[in-house]
Amino acid sequence: MAGRFTTRPAVTRTTVRGGETAVPAPRAGAATAGGRERTYVPPGPLDLGLVLGPLRRGPGDPTFRTTPDGSVWRAARTPAGPGTLRVTAQGTAVHAEAWGPGAEWLLDRLPAMLGDLDDPDAFEPRHRLVAASHRRRRGLRLTRTGLVLENLIPSILEQKVTTDEAYRAWRLLVRRYGEPAPGPCSDRMRVMPDARTWATIPSWEWHRAGVDDKRASTILRAVRAARRMEEAAAMEPEAAMARLELIPGIGPWTSAETVQRSNGAPDAITLGDLHLPRIVGYALAGDRDADDAVMLELLAPYAGQRHRAARFVLLGGRTPPRRTPKMPRWDIGGL
């Protein structure tokens, strides 16, 4: 591995599930656009695509984009207001620019978002596949955004549907009800709607986006308690998950998927997933029929780091051969 910022092999659907996003190699002398700026020097290897990849909800996510100059752009609704962040690797440092009312908030929390609060040295591979994946991806750190709703809402949309259906719903709703992102990318990016706007989306618009009443109702309950939900970002992961699960419709799967991103939780393993237990079981023990109990047994040696271990398994790309048709897609908006 040469250098602090390195190229990686081709991204596959499974590695995308592991949080890998392709980021073009940075170009020297990328122009700035008048935003507030900050330079951050990470304590070790840092791969922007691996660290920020879990925040991207599909290739058409209006809140996230990568550009040919090697930049990662992110639009977020912060406690200070909407903001846009552009992050670029420059040698051994990371240069960031931000625009909008939330610019200072985003820049203040840049190190945490890039995994500064994470401790990758606490992880010790126990399986050959995990060790190989870990060796190839030294730049993986766990992001900590400090924002709950922006991770909770898309996770609710992903409940019990295909990822393509969930990504489509997120894309349509944010484009229609979000606001233009501050800064030079306003024509391409949108900031997620605020809690009040989510609460006023008509039922037929949820329907047109392919979101059933159960998921829509769960989101409405969550945004009505938006302040209490956002407080979870400052809690320990277990307490944060318990806080989120007080909302009917939010269970261990959704809470884990949320705190992995908002709190940088290394042990928040996703339970109740359709594919993850079988992928972990097949990759580590050749068991293509593994369930949650088997997955937890296989990941027991990684206690305290089970989410990180699962990411390395996914990034390893070893999945069981398909023997049944894909999960069918149901477009309720066409009914």
Side-chain angles (χ1 to χ4, degrees):
M1 179 178 289
R4 189 181 294 263
F5 299 98
T6 61
T7 58
R8 301 181 308 282
V11 178
T12 67
R13 190 173 184 86
T14 304
T15 58
V16 167
R17 172 72 193 275
E20 184 165 24
T21 294
V23 178
R27 295 178 182 173
T32 60
R36 297 180 178 90
E37 300 182 34
R38 176 176 182 176
T39 298
Y40 164 69
V41 179
L46 180 67
D47 187 318
L48 292 179
L50 287 173
V51 177
L52 301 179
L55 304 180
R56 177 175 178 257
R57 304 291 182 158
D61 187 348
T63 71
F64 190 105
R65 69 183 287 216
T66 61
T67 50
D69 64 356
S71 298
V72 178
W73 296 74
R74 178 170 175 255
R77 181 168 298 282
T78 76
T84 303
L85 182 69
R86 172 180 177 259
V87 183
T88 309
Q90 296 185 348
T92 59
V94 175
H95 181 71
E97 293 178 89
W99 297 263
E104 291 294 340
W105 192 94
L106 288 169
L107 291 178
D108 287 345
R109 287 154 182 80
L110 177 69
M113 190 187 72
L114 295 180
D116 192 73
L117 300 178
D118 186 33
D119 182 16
D121 293 334
F123 182 77
E124 182 179 352
R126 303 284 186 175
H127 298 82
R128 182 175 299 177
L129 179 142
V130 175
S133 182
H134 176 260
R135 186 170 57 252
R136 290 194 300 267
R137 295 172 172 86
R138 293 287 184 180
L140 188 151
R141 287 175 171 269
L142 300 183
T143 185
R144 182 171 183 169
T145 67
L147 298 170
V148 174
L149 282 184
E150 72 166 20
N151 299 299
L152 177 62
I153 292 174
S155 295
I156 295 172
L157 291 175
E158 292 172 9
Q159 292 176 349
K160 300 185 183 304
V161 296
T162 65
T163 54
D164 288 344
E165 290 175 282
Y167 291 160
R168 174 182 177 272
W170 172 251
R171 182 172 65 250
L172 292 177
L173 292 169
V174 172
R175 283 180 178 171
R176 183 170 179 83
Y177 293 100
E179 60 188 272
C185 61
S186 59
D187 60 328
R188 296 286 302 276
M189 299 185 69
R190 310 285 288 183
V191 177
M192 182 189 80
D194 59 19
R196 182 182 295 273
T197 302
W198 282 112
T200 58
I201 295 177
S203 60
W204 57 87
E205 292 294 348
W206 292 105
H207 187 83
R208 287 174 179 170
V211 183
D212 58 78
D213 289 343
K214 182 177 181 180
R215 286 179 291 152
S217 298
T218 301
I219 291 173
L220 294 178
R221 286 190 289 267
V223 297
R224 289 180 187 129
R227 183 179 62 84
R228 299 287 286 170
M229 295 293 97
E230 293 295 351
E231 290 174 354
M235 299 178 176
E236 291 298 317
E238 295 79 6
M241 292 174 66
R243 169 69 63 87
L244 300 183
E245 290 171 26
L246 292 175
I247 301 295
I250 297 178
W253 187 95
T254 306
S255 64
E257 290 285 314
T258 302
V259 302
Q260 288 166 6
R261 299 165 171 85
S262 62
N263 297 52
D267 197 48
I269 183 67
T270 303
L271 298 177
D273 192 84
L274 179 62
H275 303 292
L276 184 61
R278 286 181 283 183
I279 293 174
V280 172
Y282 183 77
L284 300 186
D287 184 358
R288 61 182 298 160
D289 298 313
D291 56 12
D292 279 345
V294 173
M295 178 178 70
L296 291 178
E297 182 178 353
L298 290 171
L299 295 179
Y302 301 103
Q305 298 283 323
R306 292 176 298 177
H307 165 53
R308 195 193 309 273
R311 281 197 65 185
F312 281 124
V313 170
L314 290 167
L315 292 168
R318 186 166 187 260
T319 58
R322 187 179 299 278
R323 61 184 180 188
T324 58
K326 291 183 178 180
M327 182 177 178
R329 301 178 184 178
W330 301 97
D331 181 11
I332 67 170
L335 297 178

